[in-house]
Amino acid sequence: MSYGLTVWDEQGNVQMTTDDFTYQVLHSQVYSMSENGGVHVINVSGFDPATCSAVILPTEAASQSQMESTAYGLPYTSLAPGVITIYAVRPGSPPASGYSLLRFRLLVMRFSN
């Protein structure tokens, strides 16, 4: 291996290399949801739910009243190979059930080859 990290034990045996396990960031971008039932369809090359993860990270602190409101809850996420879809309202929910106004970072990582 010409780059990366290798860990050896006391006897000089390789215990771990970046060939064994590593994270690769496939996508990192900030998004905002809207009151009109916004939907974000994000195409991410190489994304596979079996070997990757998608994480929604809020970018702003919420006040106590905002935390008690559904408007600042996490949006609904649907995963498929190559595509991540994020909905402000859970599909099929009645309009009065609430929506997300959250501003967030979508971080997509591959954890296995």
Side-chain angles (χ1 to χ4, degrees):
M1 181 169 69
S2 60
Y3 60 92
L5 173 75
T6 303
V7 178
W8 293 270
D9 66 10
E10 296 82 15
Q11 289 77 36
N13 300 316
V14 174
Q15 295 298 303
M16 182 178 74
T17 71
T18 51
D19 293 335
D20 297 328
F21 183 83
T22 188
Y23 282 104
Q24 177 185 12
V25 175
L26 300 177
H27 181 84
S28 178
Q29 187 171 338
V30 174
Y31 296 92
S32 292
M33 300 310 291
S34 65
E35 289 183 36
N36 62 2
V39 176
H40 292 288
V41 178
I42 300 119
N43 295 309
V44 179
S45 179
F47 178 75
D48 178 359
T51 60
C52 301
S53 64
V55 181
I56 292 178
L57 304 166
T59 60
E60 301 166 353
S63 68
Q64 183 64 35
S65 62
Q66 288 174 327
M67 287 190 292
E68 293 170 359
S69 166
T70 59
Y72 290 89
L74 291 176
Y76 178 79
T77 307
S78 174
L79 307 176
V83 180
I84 299 165
T85 308
I86 302 171
Y87 301 89
V89 177
R90 185 177 180 90
S93 294
S97 67
Y99 49 82
S100 177
L101 292 176
L102 189 68
R103 182 173 165 79
F104 61 92
R105 174 172 298 280
L106 175 64
L107 181 60
V108 181
M109 299 171 289
R110 177 181 292 132
F111 57 83
S112 177
N113 291 328

